[in-house]
Amino acid sequence: MAAYTPNFPGSNSIVEESWLEGRAKGKAEAVLHILKARGIEISGSVRKRVTECTDLDALETWLDRSLSVARAEELFAEE
């Protein structure tokens, strides 16, 4: 999947920051939704770590892993 790289005028503007925060929030919600849909228990510490993460690359990795892990803690393997 190709990554979209925005080209906002005045990089690091409040608009760009808000856009990136929204993307991170959306990916975090997707990770948690997939785990829940698969019937995997999500501890408070896992939920907090996922929802507080702003690193889009980490969230993308966790999103991919959420499709196959047996336990939510396995999202963070090799970190």
Side-chain angles (χ1 to χ4, degrees), residues 65 74-79:
R65 289 179 183 168
E74 292 175 18
L75 292 173
F76 317 121
E78 300 177 33
E79 290 187 353

Side-chain angles (χ1 to χ4, degrees), residues 13-79:
S13 68
I14 190 75
V15 173
E16 180 181 26
E17 289 176 23
S18 295
W19 185 83
L20 291 171
E21 286 174 11
R23 286 205 27 133
K25 182 179 178 186
K27 286 188 184 281
E29 289 173 355
V31 169
L32 297 174
H33 178 78
I34 290 169
L35 292 173
K36 181 180 175 186
R38 292 186 58 228
I40 295 176
E41 184 176 335
I42 305 166
S43 68
S45 62
V46 168
R47 182 177 303 281
K48 181 177 180 181
R49 185 167 176 187
V50 171
T51 58
E52 291 181 356
C53 183
T54 58
D55 180 341
L56 292 173
D57 291 332
L59 287 163
E60 188 72 30
T61 298
W62 298 345
L63 184 59
D64 291 343
R65 289 179 183 168
S66 71
L67 298 168
S68 61
V69 296
R71 295 177 42 246
E73 292 75 15
E74 292 175 18
L75 292 173
F76 317 121
E78 300 177 33
E79 290 187 353

